[in-house]
């Protein structure tokens, strides 16, 4: 990748358009980027990163941070354009961030969305490729082979971070290397194996629980045939080998005991069954004898009762005979009663009907009444036409009333519309004013929303700054105490060590054995071995003191790391929060929130105001049209009213003659209808009375004939003999019952068994049944015991088979768990097989770190005059720490290997520079060998003396052998005389400007 040209407008400190020609600067191989503090040196690197990836490095991309220049005019858009060559293709990338601009119409501002353009130079000129942020990002990342984080570490070499990398612990190194080399897949493998181990362990535990549950069910099924307290089950742990054999042995013992009990229960059941059968036969014989004896006694008692009922039988037989003859007369009696009742009702109705007739018709016959009815019906028919005329007259009245109501309503509506139309201009102006006010409120709400979110982000950063400041203060106090504790522990350990060394002779004497050579003098005789002095310090006491000292040191180092992290986090939060206090930011946020809420509430009525204005305009048009049509409808109503008046006058003249003094034709018709109904009812009642009298006389004759034929002297005697059907049926049932009882007793007297049983002594069935019941209870108990024993045997057999199946299924699960657990422990660094306790990701990163150290050593030897060499160390950290990411420096002058944290300031700079260049080479190779023709080194040269500076510049100059150009960002004045090609950033009141300096000329 080679940079050619960078153009920025209204970006960072640059207000006016600035252009940087990297081709001109790269001709010398090394160029210097310098300028006063705050001029915008880092902003040049930010612009390169923003053009490539759409964001700037590190904390400068914090939420709420704007890329736009505060010096730029409102109408100048913020824009960055970068021309580069990558993957053999010459590309141009242009990006504009999201930004506010003045509205083209009206006042206020509007927000433009972020935009991106990608073009490629071909033989035909520049050709547009894409305007999609996502497509451009994917294309650039694929061509460069690096993410934004890798680009910032490899191309924009941040010396401060690599200096921290030299002094960092292994965990911090692992995080940085993990981001650069993307070892997330190895961490994912560790996590996957951990998940599989937990899943396999859960399966084994579930299998063990299932087997133990089956074993508990075996214990429940065995009952008291086994002693659970002696059950030799091992502890419930995954992979326990003794669980299966213990369950199999116990199940076999339980099954044998259950079968023995089953056989004993079967023998007992056979004995009880024979005793129960004998008792059951004896009870049945006694019950049969008792039945025959009671049957004989019952027969004698019922024969005596039948003899006593003889006179009653004769009386019932006579009553039943008279009732049968009376039943022959009953139909005639019923017919005569019905005829009499009908005649009586008809006579009463005739009297009532004649009472309602007028005096001339009270004695009239049926024919005369029929003639009067006919005349009245003729008069009633003549009134039909008159009723229709009267109805039409009423309808005309209603129509006139409707016309009057319509006229009044139309007049009121016309007056209301006229008043409304007079107010129209004022109404329309008020509604238009509401719409404009709501639109203005919507604009204000957008403005407040654009300021509110950055203010909230800045407030959150200020709160984090305060929290980290408090945490820093607490960590500082804790660190002071821990430093004192560590110093006291070290002093205690050194005192004990010194005391032990003073008495080491006694400790060596304790290991002497008679006849064996002394390890100090070689003599086999030990005439006067030393004895421990009072207060002697042994190895255990010294080791305990040393362990306490190491723990204190570890606690101190942990607090120092926490303090450094708190300071770094506070600095980042402070950079994002700015100089304002939390209270000021909180007040600003509250003020913006209140303003935004008020504006949003006012803007919420915009749609309703527009709808109300539209409805008012539609109503104005409708009222105007209604006012024109109202006059036409009023004229039509007047004409219709005159025609109805003429028609009603004609109809009323005809109706006066037909009403005959009645108020209405309907009243006259009701009078005639009442007279017709009265005459018709009287004639009908007269005819019914004559017909019922004839039927009554005929019924009397038929009744007399029926009584004579049935053998009765009078009608009254026949009536007394008649009985209801239910009484006759009851008398017949009594006679039938006596006859059936007589036949039954005759059959029983012929039985010989009952008479023979009566001659025997009385039976005792209760005692026999009690003995049989007792035998049956014993039989049920024995049968239950057999069933329980059989069910227990079957259940134990079934559960034993189930337990065996579960144990067999558990075997592969245990094997899988052991295999996965070994792999998971090995990759996680917790297994005993992993001697250095290295995680898989740390193992991969250790290999990368070894490559980085080798690549860095090539340049470090030149910069240090052959003195220093960087080496990777996989030694384990103290205590329980892990190993794999140690980094040491070998001093050729002393031949010693020491930690990189012991380097001086200048040594740390060129060691970190060598490490950064080596890391760039390794990451480049990791990314597929992408050529990086342009590099930037940010600060750090001020800590070097002249000789070291020359050596560093020689190393940087050697990068040209790989056709690279290196940009140095520095304040060091001496570099301006050593580096010919320069890019100067000049800070001015209206915004910074860029100047190119070469050995030949100076251009603005």
């Amino acid at each position: 990748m080679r940079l050619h040209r960078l153009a920025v407008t209204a970006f960072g400190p640059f207000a006016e358009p600035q252009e940087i020609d990297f081709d001109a600067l790269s001709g010398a191989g090394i160029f210097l980027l310098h300028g006063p503090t705050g001029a915008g040196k880092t902003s040049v690197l930010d612009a390169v990163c923003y053009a490539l990836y759409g964001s700037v490095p590190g904390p400068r991309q914090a939420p709420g941070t704007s890329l736009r220049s505060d010096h730029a005019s409102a109408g100048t858009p913020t824009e960055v354009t970068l021309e580069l060559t990558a993957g053999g293709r010459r590309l141009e990338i242009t990006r504009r961030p999201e930004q506010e601009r003045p509205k083209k119409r009206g006042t206020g501002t509007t927000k433009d969305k972020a935009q991106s353009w990608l073009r490629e130079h071909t033989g035909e000129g520049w050709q547009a490729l894409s305007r999609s942020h996502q497509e451009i990002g994917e294309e650039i990342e694929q061509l460069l082979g690096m993410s934004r984080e890798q680009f910032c570490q490899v191309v924009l070499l941040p010396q401060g971070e690599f200096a921290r990398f030299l002094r960092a612990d292994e965990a911090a190194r692992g995080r940085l290397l993990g981001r650069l080399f993307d070892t997330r897949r190895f961490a994912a493998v560790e996590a996957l194996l951990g998940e599989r181990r937990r899943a396999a362990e859960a399966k084994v535990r579930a299998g063990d629980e299932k087997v133990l549950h089956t074993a508990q069910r075996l214990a429940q099924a065995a009952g008291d045939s086994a002693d659970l307290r002696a059950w030799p089950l091992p502890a419930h742990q995954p992979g326990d080998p003794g669980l299966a054999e213990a369950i199999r042995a116990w199940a076999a013992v339980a099954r044998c005991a259950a079968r023995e009990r089953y056989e004993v229960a079967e023998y007992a059941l056979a004995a009880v069954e024979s005793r129960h059968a004998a008792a059951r036969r004896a009870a049945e014989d006694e019950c049969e004898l008792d039945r025959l004896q009671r049957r004989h006694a019952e027969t004698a008692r019922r024969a005596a009762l039948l003899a006593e009922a003889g006179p009653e039988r004769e009386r019932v037989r006579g009553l039943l005979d008279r009732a049968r003859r009376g039943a022959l007369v009953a139909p005639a009696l019923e017919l005569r009663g019905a005829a009499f009742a009908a005649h009586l009702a008809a006579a009463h109705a005739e009297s009532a009907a004649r009472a309602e007739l007028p005096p001339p018709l009270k004695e009239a016959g049926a024919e005369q009444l029929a003639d009067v009815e006919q005349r009245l019906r003729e008069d009633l028919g003549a009134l039909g036409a008159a009723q229709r005329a009267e109805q039409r007259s009423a309808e005309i009245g209603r129509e006139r009333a409707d016309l009057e109501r319509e006229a009044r309503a139309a007049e009121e509506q016309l007056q209301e519309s006229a008043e409304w139309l007079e107010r129209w201009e004022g109404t329309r102006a008020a509604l238009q004013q509401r719409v404009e006010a709501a639109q203005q409120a919507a604009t204000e709400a957008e403005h407040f929303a654009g300021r509110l979110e950055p203010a909230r982000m800045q407030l959150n950063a200020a709160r984090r700054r305060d929290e980290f400041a408090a945490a820093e203060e607490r960590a500082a106090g804790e660190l002071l105490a821990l430093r004192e504790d560590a110093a006291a522990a070290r002093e205690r350990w050194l005192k004990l060590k010194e005391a032990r060394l003073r008495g080491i002779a006694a400790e060596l004497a304790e290991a002497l054995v008679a006849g064996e050579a002394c390890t100090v003098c070689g003599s086999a005789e030990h005439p006067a071995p030393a004895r421990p002095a009072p207060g002697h310090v042994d190895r255990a006491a010294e080791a305990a003191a040393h362990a306490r000292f190491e723990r204190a040191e570890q606690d101190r180092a942990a607090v120092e790391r926490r303090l450094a992290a708190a300071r770094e986090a506070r600095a980042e939060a402070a950079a994002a929060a700015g100089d304002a206090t939390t209270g000021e930011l909180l007040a600003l946020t509250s003020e913006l929130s209140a303003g935004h809420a008020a504006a949003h509430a006012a803007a919420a009525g915009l749609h309703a105001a527009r709808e109300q204005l539209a409805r008012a305009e539609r109503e104005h048009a409708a009222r105007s049209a209604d006012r024109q049509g109202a006059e036409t409808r009023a004229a039509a109503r007047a004409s219709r009213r005159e025609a109805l008046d003429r028609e009603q006058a004609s109809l009323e003249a005809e109706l006066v003659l037909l009403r005959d003094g009645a108020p209405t034709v309907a009243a006259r018709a009701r009078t005639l209808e009442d007279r017709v109904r009265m005459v018709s009812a009287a004639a009908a009642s007269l005819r019914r009375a004559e017909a019922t009298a004839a039927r009554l006389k005929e019924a009397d004759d038929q009744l007399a004939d029926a009584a004579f034929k049935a053998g009765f002297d009078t009608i009254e005697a026949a009536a007394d003999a008649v009985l209801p059907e239910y009484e006759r049926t009851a008398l017949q049932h009594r006679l039938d019952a006596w006859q059936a009882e007589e036949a039954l007793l005759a059959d029983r007297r012929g039985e010989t068994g009952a008479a023979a049983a009566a001659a025997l002594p009385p039976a005792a069935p209760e005692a026999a049944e009690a003995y049989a019941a007792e035998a049956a209870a014993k039989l049920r108990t024995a049968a239950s015991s057999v069933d329980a024993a059989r069910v227990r045997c079957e259940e134990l057999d079934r559960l034993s088979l189930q337990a065996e199946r579960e144990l067999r299924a558990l075997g592969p699960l245990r094997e899988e768990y052991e295999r996965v657990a070994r792999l998971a422990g090995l990759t996680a660094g917790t297994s005993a097989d992993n001697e250095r306790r290295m995680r898989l990701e740390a193992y991969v990163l250790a290999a990368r770190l070894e490559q980085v150290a080798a690549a860095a050593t090539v340049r470090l030897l030149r910069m240090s005059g052959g003195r220093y060499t960087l080496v990777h160390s996989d030694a384990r950290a103290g205590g329980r720490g892990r190993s794999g990411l140690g980094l040491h420096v070998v001093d050729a002058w002393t031949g010693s290997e020491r930690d990189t944290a012991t380097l001086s300031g200048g040594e740390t700079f060129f060691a970190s520079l060598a490490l950064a260049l080596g890391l760039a080479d390794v990451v480049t190779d990791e990314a597929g060998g992408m050529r990086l023709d342009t590099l930037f080194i940010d600060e750090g040269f001020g800590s070097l003396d002249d000789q070291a500076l020359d050596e560093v510049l020689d190393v940087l100059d050697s990068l040209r052998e790989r056709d690279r150009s290196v940009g140095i960002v520095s304040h060091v004045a001496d570099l301006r005389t050593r580096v010919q090609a320069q890019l100067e950033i000049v800070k001015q009141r209206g915004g910074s400007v860029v100047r190119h300096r070469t050995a030949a000329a100076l251009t603005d």
Side-chain angles (χ1 to χ4, degrees):
M1 180 201 72
R2 176 178 292 279
L3 304 182
H4 300 293
R5 181 179 64 87
L6 174 68
V8 296
T9 302
F11 182 87
F14 305 108
E16 298 299 326
Q18 304 294 321
E19 184 171 334
I20 300 173
D21 187 356
F22 286 111
D23 288 336
L25 293 172
S26 301
I30 300 178
F31 62 91
L32 177 65
L33 178 62
H34 68 94
T37 301
K41 300 184 298 297
T42 306
S43 296
V44 174
L45 308 185
D46 290 347
V48 172
C49 185
Y50 179 73
L52 291 173
Y53 294 96
S55 60
V56 297
R60 295 189 293 277
Q61 188 61 26
T65 303
S66 175
L67 301 178
R68 180 169 177 79
S69 175
D70 296 332
H71 304 284
S73 60
T76 303
T78 299
E79 183 178 280
V80 176
T81 300
L82 177 66
E83 186 178 337
L84 75 157
T85 297
R89 300 167 60 185
R90 183 147 183 161
L91 304 174
E92 181 190 75
I93 308 170
T94 302
R95 292 189 187 268
R96 288 184 179 180
E98 185 180 78
Q99 53 191 298
E100 298 278 348
R101 64 166 177 81
K103 290 185 176 179
K104 297 180 179 179
R105 296 180 181 178
T107 60
T109 61
T110 186
K111 182 177 291 186
D112 285 340
K113 295 182 179 180
Q115 302 179 62
S116 300
W117 295 271
L118 176 63
R119 299 195 304 169
E120 182 177 4
H121 190 275
T122 62
E124 300 176 357
W126 289 102
Q127 180 180 358
L129 296 182
S130 177
R131 297 189 61 176
S132 169
H133 299 297
Q134 182 177 0
E135 291 180 358
I136 295 175
E138 293 175 354
E139 182 73 15
I140 294 302
E141 189 164 341
Q142 182 178 1
L143 285 174
L144 299 184
M146 290 180 287
S147 64
R148 182 178 67 88
E149 291 77 9
Q150 290 176 317
F151 178 84
C152 295
Q153 292 289 344
V154 174
V155 179
L156 312 180
L157 300 179
Q159 294 306 301
E161 290 193 16
F162 281 97
R164 288 195 298 271
F165 181 81
L166 287 174
R167 296 183 174 89
D169 57 9
E170 297 189 4
R173 288 192 186 121
R175 287 192 295 270
L176 175 61
L177 293 174
R179 290 197 306 269
L180 292 177
F181 293 105
D182 192 14
T183 57
R184 290 174 295 179
R185 59 188 184 276
F186 300 102
V189 170
E190 296 177 22
L192 176 62
L193 288 175
E195 289 293 332
R196 289 187 177 180
R197 180 188 61 78
R198 288 188 290 273
E201 182 180 359
K203 290 181 180 179
V204 172
R205 287 187 179 276
D208 285 346
E209 292 289 349
K210 189 175 181 181
V211 170
L212 287 173
H213 177 67
T214 303
Q216 292 296 334
R217 292 177 62 189
L218 274 167
Q220 294 174 1
D224 57 354
S225 62
D227 187 2
L228 293 181
R229 293 172 296 180
W231 192 9
L233 281 181
H236 180 202
Q237 294 294 333
D240 197 332
L243 180 62
E245 295 303 325
I247 292 177
R248 290 190 178 99
W250 188 89
V253 173
R255 291 197 302 273
C256 292
R259 289 193 183 94
E260 291 177 358
R261 296 191 64 179
Y262 178 45
E263 293 174 358
V264 172
E266 284 183 333
Y267 290 140
L269 177 61
V272 173
E273 284 178 345
S274 61
R275 290 194 295 271
H276 173 263
R280 186 72 263 169
R281 286 192 298 271
E284 290 174 355
D285 292 343
E286 285 297 318
C287 289
E288 180 64 19
L289 178 60
D290 180 65
R291 186 186 67 80
L292 292 175
Q293 289 176 349
R294 285 188 285 104
R295 184 179 180 84
H296 186 271
E298 179 67 17
T299 300
R301 185 184 62 78
R302 292 171 69 176
L305 292 176
L306 183 60
E308 291 175 359
E312 181 65 18
R313 289 176 67 185
E314 293 302 327
R315 188 185 70 80
V316 170
R317 189 178 286 112
L319 288 175
L320 187 59
D321 181 62
R322 292 186 72 240
R324 287 171 180 167
R325 288 186 291 113
L328 300 177
V329 187
L333 283 171
E334 293 177 359
L335 181 62
R336 197 265 176 191
F340 178 76
H343 177 64
L344 184 61
H348 284 299
E350 179 187 2
S351 299
R354 285 185 181 277
E356 294 180 359
L357 292 175
L361 298 178
K362 286 187 180 294
E363 300 299 332
E367 294 181 358
Q368 185 180 358
L369 292 174
D371 293 339
V372 173
E373 180 184 359
Q374 181 63 29
R375 290 196 302 273
L376 291 174
R377 289 187 182 277
E378 290 176 357
D379 293 340
L380 183 61
L383 293 177
Q387 287 180 343
R388 290 190 293 273
E390 188 178 43
Q391 291 175 357
R392 175 57 186 161
S393 178
E395 291 176 358
I396 290 173
R398 289 192 295 272
E399 288 184 12
R400 291 183 76 257
D402 292 341
L403 288 174
E404 292 295 335
R405 286 194 300 272
E406 289 178 3
R408 289 193 299 271
E411 184 178 357
E412 293 175 357
Q413 184 178 5
L414 184 61
Q415 184 178 0
E416 193 270 337
S417 296
E419 294 175 355
W420 191 93
L421 291 173
E422 290 177 359
R423 300 191 305 271
W424 164 242
E425 293 299 330
T427 302
R428 181 173 60 180
L431 294 176
Q432 186 66 35
Q433 186 177 3
R434 283 186 58 193
V435 171
E436 293 175 356
Q439 289 176 341
Q440 181 64 26
T443 302
E444 293 178 357
E446 292 179 0
H447 176 69
F448 278 114
R451 296 178 58 195
L452 179 59
E453 187 61 27
R456 285 175 176 170
M457 293 180 179
Q458 195 173 4
L459 175 59
N460 293 333
R463 287 172 174 169
R464 292 197 306 273
R465 176 192 63 194
D466 297 343
E467 293 174 358
F468 288 132
E472 180 182 351
E473 184 176 355
R474 290 193 301 270
E478 186 178 353
L479 178 60
L480 181 60
L482 289 175
R483 282 175 175 170
E484 294 177 356
D485 293 344
R490 184 174 184 277
E491 184 177 358
R492 171 65 177 168
W493 167 56
L494 293 176
K495 288 181 179 179
L496 292 178
K497 182 176 183 181
E498 183 179 0
R500 177 172 173 254
L501 291 176
R502 286 197 301 267
I504 196 66
E507 186 174 335
L508 294 174
E510 291 179 355
L512 295 177
V513 179
E516 295 184 3
C518 175
T519 57
V520 178
C521 64
S523 173
E525 297 180 359
H526 317 298
R531 294 289 183 267
H536 174 67
V537 178
D538 57 4
R539 181 187 298 272
E542 180 191 355
H546 184 264
R548 285 194 296 272
F549 166 63
E550 286 186 342
R551 287 194 299 271
E553 281 294 312
Q554 291 173 359
D555 294 342
R556 180 191 58 77
V559 173
E560 284 181 347
R561 291 193 295 270
R562 192 165 73 248
L563 177 60
R567 286 174 176 170
E568 183 176 357
R570 181 181 61 79
E572 293 180 359
D579 298 332
T581 64
T582 304
E584 293 172 349
L585 293 175
L586 181 60
L588 176 61
T589 304
S590 301
E591 180 182 355
L592 293 176
S593 298
H596 178 263
H600 187 270
L606 176 60
H607 179 72
R610 288 175 175 172
E611 289 292 329
Q612 190 173 1
L613 177 60
R615 285 197 301 270
E617 291 176 346
R618 290 194 296 270
E619 185 176 0
H620 175 263
R623 286 180 181 271
S624 299
D626 288 345
R627 184 171 61 178
Q628 295 176 0
E631 299 176 356
T632 303
R633 290 192 295 271
R637 280 194 298 271
S639 176
R640 177 61 178 165
R641 186 165 50 247
E642 293 176 358
L644 291 176
D645 291 342
R646 291 192 299 270
E647 184 179 0
Q648 189 175 30
S650 176
L651 292 174
E652 285 297 329
E654 296 178 1
L655 291 174
V656 170
L657 299 175
L658 295 175
R659 288 171 183 161
D660 193 16
T664 63
V665 175
R668 175 63 179 166
R670 284 194 297 273
T671 301
L672 291 178
E673 288 174 354
D674 292 341
R675 291 178 181 177
V676 170
R677 187 167 52 255
M678 179 177 60
V679 172
S680 176
S685 62
L686 180 59
R687 287 191 293 270
R688 283 196 299 273
E690 292 174 353
T692 56
R695 287 198 296 272
L696 178 59
K697 183 178 181 305
E698 183 180 357
D700 287 338
D701 295 340
Q702 292 178 356
L703 178 59
D705 293 340
F708 177 76
K709 290 179 180 180
F712 295 102
D713 296 334
T714 62
I715 295 176
E716 289 74 9
D720 292 339
V722 175
L723 292 177
E725 179 65 25
Y726 70 90
E727 292 186 6
R728 295 199 308 272
T729 303
L731 293 174
Q732 184 63 46
H733 286 170
R734 293 184 69 185
L735 287 177
D736 293 342
W738 280 322
Q739 291 176 359
E741 182 71 9
E742 188 175 10
L744 177 62
L745 293 175
D747 291 339
R748 287 192 176 184
R749 290 190 186 97
E751 296 177 356
T752 59
L760 297 175
E766 292 80 4
E769 284 292 341
Y771 181 75
E774 182 180 355
K778 293 180 179 179
L779 178 62
R780 286 193 298 272
T781 301
S784 297
S785 299
V786 172
D787 291 340
R790 183 180 65 256
V791 170
R792 181 182 293 111
C793 290
E794 293 174 353
E795 184 69 8
L796 287 174
D797 291 341
R798 185 184 65 81
L799 291 175
S800 296
L801 291 176
Q802 180 179 343
E804 184 62 28
R805 288 194 298 269
E806 292 171 355
L807 289 172
R808 291 179 181 176
L810 189 57
L813 294 180
R814 292 186 190 279
E815 295 176 359
E816 176 67 16
Y817 166 72
E818 292 173 356
R819 182 171 60 257
V820 173
R822 286 196 301 270
L823 285 175
L826 189 62
T827 56
T830 58
S831 172
D833 297 334
N834 192 333
E835 297 179 357
R836 298 188 178 277
R837 305 182 68 239
M838 291 178 62
R839 295 172 48 244
L840 178 61
E841 184 181 14
Y843 178 78
V844 175
L845 292 177
R848 293 290 187 264
L849 183 58
E850 188 173 359
Q851 296 174 0
V852 170
T857 296
V858 176
R859 296 180 175 90
L860 182 58
L861 286 172
R862 292 184 59 184
M863 286 187 283
S864 63
R867 179 178 179 182
Y868 293 119
T869 302
L870 282 176
V871 294
H872 159 250
S873 173
D874 58 359
R876 290 184 56 176
R880 301 180 61 186
R882 299 175 182 269
S883 61
L885 297 179
L887 191 63
H888 292 172
V889 60
V890 178
D891 191 343
W893 291 3
T894 63
S896 62
E897 180 177 334
R898 52 194 172 98
D899 192 88
T900 52
T902 61
L903 294 173
S904 65
E907 294 170 341
T908 299
F909 168 72
F910 57 68
S912 61
L913 176 59
L915 184 65
L917 294 174
L919 184 61
D921 293 339
V922 174
V923 172
T924 300
D925 296 337
E926 178 73 12
M930 173 64 64
R931 288 182 55 82
L932 300 177
D933 298 325
T934 305
L935 298 177
F936 293 91
I937 301 175
D938 191 359
E939 292 300 343
F941 293 88
S943 60
L944 304 180
D945 56 21
D946 293 341
Q947 182 179 358
L949 182 61
D950 289 337
E951 292 173 349
V952 169
L953 291 178
D954 289 341
V955 171
L956 295 178
D957 188 60
S958 67
L959 295 177
R960 289 186 295 176
E961 298 173 0
R962 301 179 63 178
D963 196 20
R964 286 183 178 178
S965 61
V966 180
I968 300 174
V969 182
S970 178
H971 294 88
V972 177
D974 194 25
L975 287 174
R976 300 176 190 175
T977 60
R978 297 171 182 248
V979 180
Q980 299 301 317
Q982 299 178 15
L983 180 67
E984 182 181 6
I985 311 298
V986 181
K987 183 166 60 175
Q988 299 178 358
R989 181 178 296 274
S992 299
V993 296
V994 176
R995 293 177 179 175
H996 293 74
R997 294 178 180 273
T998 61
L1002 173 65
T1003 59
D1004 290 343

